[in-house]
Amino acid sequence: MFDINFVPESMKAPTASKLDRLEAASETNLRYGYFGTTVSIVTDGFGTESLHGTPALDFVFCLLYAVRKVRDGVVGSVSFTEDDTLINFTPANGRVMVTRSWDAVPGYCDTAQLVEVSIGFSEEVVDFIVRRYPSFGRNPTYGKLMSIVEELKAG
């Protein structure tokens, strides 16, 4: 079993000056300086892990890159820039072991489920941001994220 969710109500609104620059903000600024939220990961094994104040777009980028690696048969990771914690996704025989650097209890899921849920989560986060802040849809980072999602959907 595998699921990832975010709490839309927890997403921190950008300041007025950040909103004014949203359409032209750099990928780096968007990844680390905008849209902090609560993300929850659920697996067979460790159950539910909630991550508060997580930069939503950075998490989405890291997750999509990790899924790309897992699909290619190698370990993928989600790292957190604010500290040295990691979530690793280790593929083996159609399954994925999900480990967290701060807890020894692993979680497990099917590779196909990891890919499907991660794509759905990423689309949900990005769609929420675009609905709330339409100018993000005109930012090149939006196009980059959607391109990665489409690549993963195509297999």
Side-chain angles (χ1 to χ4, degrees):
M1 195 263 186
F2 184 76
D3 200 11
I4 306 177
N5 301 291
F6 80 107
V7 180
E9 302 79 36
S10 74
M11 188 172 284
K12 185 176 177 190
T15 63
S17 63
K18 283 185 176 183
L19 275 178
D20 289 343
R21 296 188 310 266
L22 184 56
E23 187 173 335
S26 72
E27 178 183 319
T28 300
N29 284 340
L30 287 168
R31 286 180 71 158
Y32 308 118
Y34 286 74
F35 312 123
T37 193
T38 298
V39 174
S40 295
I41 301 174
V42 182
T43 69
D44 288 337
F46 63 71
T48 302
E49 181 75 54
S50 293
L51 308 165
H52 303 283
T54 302
L57 292 176
D58 186 47
F59 189 87
V60 167
F61 266 109
C62 289
L63 182 64
L64 292 173
Y65 290 145
V67 167
R68 183 189 277 165
K69 287 184 173 187
V70 167
R71 193 182 64 191
D72 292 341
V74 297
V75 175
S77 299
V78 172
S79 60
F80 297 86
T81 54
E82 58 275 8
D83 55 40
D84 61 353
T85 57
L86 287 172
I87 300 172
N88 288 313
F89 300 92
T90 306
N93 303 316
R95 300 271 297 155
V96 177
M97 182 172 63
V98 183
T99 55
R100 299 154 298 153
S101 60
W102 62 93
D103 191 329
V105 178
Y108 299 92
C109 65
D110 293 329
T111 302
Q113 189 176 35
L114 172 71
V115 173
E116 179 183 329
V117 167
S118 297
I119 289 169
F121 167 81
S122 299
E123 288 179 316
E124 183 180 355
V125 169
V126 172
D127 289 348
F128 175 80
I129 293 170
V130 168
R131 281 192 314 275
R132 186 171 274 184
Y133 309 104
S135 61
F136 175 65
R138 296 184 296 276
N139 186 293
T141 300
Y142 169 79
K144 183 175 181 179
L145 281 168
M146 292 298 91
S147 176
I148 297 167
V149 166
E150 292 306 315
E151 170 202 325
L152 290 172
K153 282 182 173 180

